[in-house]
Amino acid sequence: MTESVFVLDIGTTSLKAGLISAEGEVVFIFRKKYLNPYALDVSKFWLSAFEFAFQKAKKFSKKRDIQIKAICISGNGPTIVDSYGRTLLWNGNNIPHDLKEKSESELEKINWQLKEKNIHSLFIPRILLFKELYPKNYTNSPYIFSGPEYLIYKLTANAITILPEKRYLSAYWDQSLLKSLDLDIEKFPAYISTGDLAGYFKGIPVFAGGPDFIVALIGTNTLSPGKICDRSGSSEGINFCVSKEIHSPGIRTLPSVIPDLWNCSVLIPNSSKLKENDRLTKLKEGLQLLQKISKENDFDFPLQMKVTGGQTKNTMWMQKKASFLEMNLEVCDCQDSELLGDACIAFKGLGKYDSLSEAAENISKSQQIYNFQSKKNLCKD
């Protein structure tokens, strides 16, 4: 009997799910679009999509003699959800038309006030906006969650908040910050870490994944100094793992999920809307920024970069991209690196691996390398 984990990532318009083995074999993959991705209670569609995908996975696993050993959940953020499903998406796309103008002015005011107080939380501005737009929902809800935590709550009845790593506390909140902003401390569940056991669903252990970008870095094994990956989709981000905190114009530095390491990233918002050559130029400029900080800090800069996301399905584009960037590009077996990251987390939680790094070394495998010096791509054995 093959052992696998059921992994899922809450996207903006669809739920991605899969069954992945401890050796990184993707034995089942599934995507379920939400009936209405911009509904005020779109989180309820997450739940129905999960139930549909889980039944599909169970039916598939029964036929193939596969045992589902655990579940792990990740998702986009900072999406805010109350206990009953009222949702404020991370991009604000489900705010009703009659509240759009108010939301824009309120968010601008909130961000200005927080900047004045030197508060840099990623979540607090969205929480304050939720409270302003939906005061009754905020007041009546026992808890306030982000996306993965809401789904975990509905599956396990346990209220938790996932903190990827202790250095992320400033990107979230502590009790003194909540109190200073007149936010109810009891509405914000206690922290658990990425990889901790969050509860059980039908007897199956559920492990805490967390924000999609954190889990994607695990899934691409960008977990040691010198590793680099490109998360490509409607927007794009190049992520470079380094051994110390870097502050440099045009680069966003956040803690790695691995203690004492950091992730330097260059973001290209809405890159899919750019013309091909403009997009490639932006990417090359981003790589040059990362190469510059590598030289300044005596880091080794890699010759090969992992790429994940929908772009990887287009072989002509990938070869053009490799040639333009003058860098070999490596494509994961599973294009949805969030699912691979969730699998790493779950198998580490089950005790199959001693660390996330060990799990990623065994689960994050590649199918192709695009050589920038060749017009052909190389398939890995």
Side-chain angles (χ1 to χ4, degrees), residues 123-189:
F123 286 88
I124 288 295
R126 311 303 294 178
I127 293 167
L128 291 172
L129 182 61
F130 184 96
K131 183 181 179 182
E132 182 64 31
L133 296 180
Y134 313 118
K136 288 184 179 178
N137 297 83
Y138 174 84
T139 300
N140 294 332
S141 178
Y143 301 111
I144 299 295
F145 301 104
S146 184
E149 292 92 340
Y150 170 80
L151 192 50
I152 288 171
Y153 175 64
K154 298 302 289 186
L155 297 179
T156 69
N158 291 335
I160 54 94
T161 301
I162 304 168
L163 190 68
E165 206 266 351
K166 62 183 181 180
R167 290 170 295 167
Y168 270 89
L169 191 62
S170 62
Y172 285 68
W173 57 81
D174 58 24
Q175 290 192 359
S176 62
L177 177 59
L178 295 175
K179 189 175 180 180
S180 71
L181 296 171
D182 197 28
L183 292 167
D184 304 78
I185 293 171
E186 68 275 6
K187 291 184 182 292
F188 297 87

Side-chain angles (χ1 to χ4, degrees), residues 250-266:
I251 291 175
R252 184 180 74 172
T253 302
L254 289 171
S256 168
V257 73
I258 305 299
D260 301 322
L261 297 181
W262 300 84
N263 181 64
C264 293
S265 62
V266 176

Side-chain angles (χ1 to χ4, degrees), residues 140-314:
N140 294 332
S141 178
Y143 301 111
I144 299 295
F145 301 104
S146 184
E149 292 92 340
Y150 170 80
L151 192 50
I152 288 171
Y153 175 64
K154 298 302 289 186
L155 297 179
T156 69
N158 291 335
I160 54 94
T161 301
I162 304 168
L163 190 68
E165 206 266 351
K166 62 183 181 180
R167 290 170 295 167
Y168 270 89
L169 191 62
S170 62
Y172 285 68
W173 57 81
D174 58 24
Q175 290 192 359
S176 62
L177 177 59
L178 295 175
K179 189 175 180 180
S180 71
L181 296 171
D182 197 28
L183 292 167
D184 304 78
I185 293 171
E186 68 275 6
K187 291 184 182 292
F188 297 87
Y191 289 119
I192 67 171
S193 298
T194 290
D196 284 352
L197 180 65
Y200 292 85
F201 173 72
K202 296 185 176 180
I204 302 172
V206 178
F207 291 99
D212 53 3
F213 84 95
I214 291 285
V215 176
L217 295 182
I218 298 171
T220 54
N221 193 20
T222 312
L223 300 178
S224 58
K227 294 285 186 71
I228 191 168
C229 76
D230 173 17
R231 288 189 68 208
S232 62
S234 55
S235 295
E236 202 149 352
I238 305 174
N239 300 273
F240 181 42
C241 186
V242 297
S243 57
K244 67 178 183 180
E245 188 174 9
I246 300 294
H247 296 284
S248 185
I251 291 175
R252 184 180 74 172
T253 302
L254 289 171
S256 168
V257 73
I258 305 299
D260 301 322
L261 297 181
W262 300 84
N263 181 64
C264 293
S265 62
V266 176
L267 307 178
I268 307 168
N270 301 313
S271 58
S272 62
K273 295 180 180 179
L274 298 174
K275 293 180 181 179
E276 280 194 0
N277 285 341
D278 292 339
R279 188 174 195 171
L280 290 170
T281 299
K282 290 280 188 185
L283 281 169
K284 192 158 193 174
E285 289 172 351
L287 277 175
Q288 288 170 343
L289 277 176
L290 294 172
Q291 288 168 335
K292 180 175 178 288
I293 66 163
S294 293
K295 188 174 181 180
E296 291 171 349
N297 291 276
D298 200 26
F299 297 149
D300 290 329
F301 197 79
L303 301 174
Q304 189 159 297
M305 176 167 66
K306 276 194 178 180
V307 185
T308 183
Q311 287 184 25
T312 58
K313 298 176 184 178
N314 186 332

Side-chain angles (χ1 to χ4, degrees), residues 194-196 207 342-359 363:
T194 290
D196 284 352
F207 291 99
D342 285 326
C344 294
I345 292 165
F347 278 113
K348 191 264 181 183
L350 289 169
K352 175 70 176 179
Y353 298 108
D354 292 332
S355 67
L356 287 176
S357 297
E358 183 188 0
I363 291 173

